[in-house]
Amino acid sequence: MTMILKPLHLACIKDETRPNMRLIEIQNNIATATNGTILVKIDLTLTSSIEPEVLKFLNGKFIDMETWKEIHKCDTLEIYDEQIDCYKAGIKKTFYYSQATGSFFNTNSIVEDVKTAGEEKKRIIGYGVNFIEILSKIFEAKELFFSFSPGHKGTVVFPVAEGMFAILMPIISKGTNRQIFV
């Protein structure tokens, strides 16, 4: 079955102290999710089967991770200004948009920082493998590419397919060196 949307809810987390991290923000047809360690941006015009004239209803909206989990695997979606109707196996479910708690964080500043920092070679860098696995599932890709930024600004991770990228925070470890033995 082809998914209408990528499983972007996997980049969110349930954290009572940071409720906005449950939300997927949509601005200018770009869906953004973060858990504080990974930040994923997906261009819905390139990665979903939703028509551009329908996507306009999502602009400026927030969708809870549990709602996205349901709607990303629907057979059919009907998107309106106030709600999303999801049809799966002939059953209709209606979902409503969420609201951010307080000010929603500006993820574009993080992307700009990484973009401005540029690229650099790294000797040793570590990542949580669970986050790499999450990105592989979201991008639906077996191969991921990594572009390293100086100063631990974050690593740009992307699949071959266009319209998707993530910024992954490296694990900072002092004194770690290669472990080699024969």
Side-chain angles (χ1 to χ4, degrees), residues 65-132:
M65 63 187 285
E66 294 300 329
T67 298
W68 193 282
K69 182 178 180 178
E70 291 291 324
I71 67 172
H72 98 277
K73 56 188 174 187
C74 288
D75 300 326
T76 307
L77 285 179
E78 292 177 358
I79 299 172
Y80 303 102
D81 198 37
E82 299 294 323
Q83 71 195 47
I84 298 172
D85 291 337
C86 165
Y87 296 87
K88 183 169 180 158
I91 298 172
K92 174 185 174 184
K93 291 184 180 179
T94 299
F95 297 95
Y96 296 94
Y97 302 109
S98 296
Q99 295 294 319
T101 302
S103 297
F104 199 76
F105 35 83
N106 182 0
T107 58
N108 290 334
S109 63
I110 297 166
V111 174
E112 247 341 284
D113 283 350
V114 171
K115 184 178 176 182
T116 302
E119 291 181 291
E120 79 170 1
K121 294 180 181 178
K122 296 281 189 190
R123 188 180 72 77
I124 294 176
I125 192 161
Y127 299 104
V129 293
N130 57 326
F131 297 122
I132 294 171

Side-chain angles (χ1 to χ4, degrees), residues 173-177:
S173 177
K174 297 182 185 333
T176 301
N177 203 340

Side-chain angles (χ1 to χ4, degrees), residues 1-7 9 47-50 68-75 77 88 137-138 140:
M1 176 177 118
T2 304
M3 303 289 180
I4 295 173
L5 298 165
K6 299 288 185 189
H9 62 283
T47 63
S48 76
S49 58
I50 302 171
W68 193 282
K69 182 178 180 178
E70 291 291 324
I71 67 172
H72 98 277
K73 56 188 174 187
C74 288
D75 300 326
L77 285 179
K88 183 169 180 158
K137 287 178 182 177
I138 292 171
E140 298 171 337

